[in-house]
Amino acid sequence: MRVFISHATEDKTDFVRPLAEALRQHFSVWYDEYELTIGDSLLKKINEGLASSDYGVVILSPSFFQKKWPQS
């Protein structure tokens, strides 16, 4: 089972990274720090990650809602 994690960068250190590590003990996890490298097409990699995932986890926070991309 593969889980895709969507989050705001501001939530990474305190919450998202520890969550990704915990989930990784039981599932395959698509998390930006595991999947993205310099030079990658962000949109292409995210679309591939979504297409190959069984579930999505969206971390809803004030920082998330301040981003433009969740509103489009």
Side-chain angles (χ1 to χ4, degrees), residues 8-64:
T9 301
E10 295 82 357
D11 300 321
K12 185 180 295 286
T13 302
D14 292 337
F15 185 75
V16 182
R17 189 177 295 126
L19 174 65
E21 289 297 321
L23 288 172
R24 198 175 197 187
Q25 294 177 24
H26 303 282
F27 307 101
S28 172
V29 177
W30 194 103
Y31 172 55
D32 60 352
E33 290 184 349
Y34 304 156
E35 304 292 335
L36 300 175
T37 57
I38 294 174
D40 283 344
S41 165
L42 184 59
L43 185 58
K44 180 180 176 188
K45 293 292 277 192
I46 288 173
N47 285 336
E48 289 172 355
L50 287 168
S52 67
S53 294
D54 301 296
Y55 294 95
V57 174
V58 181
I59 308 304
L60 302 176
S61 69
S63 296
F64 181 89

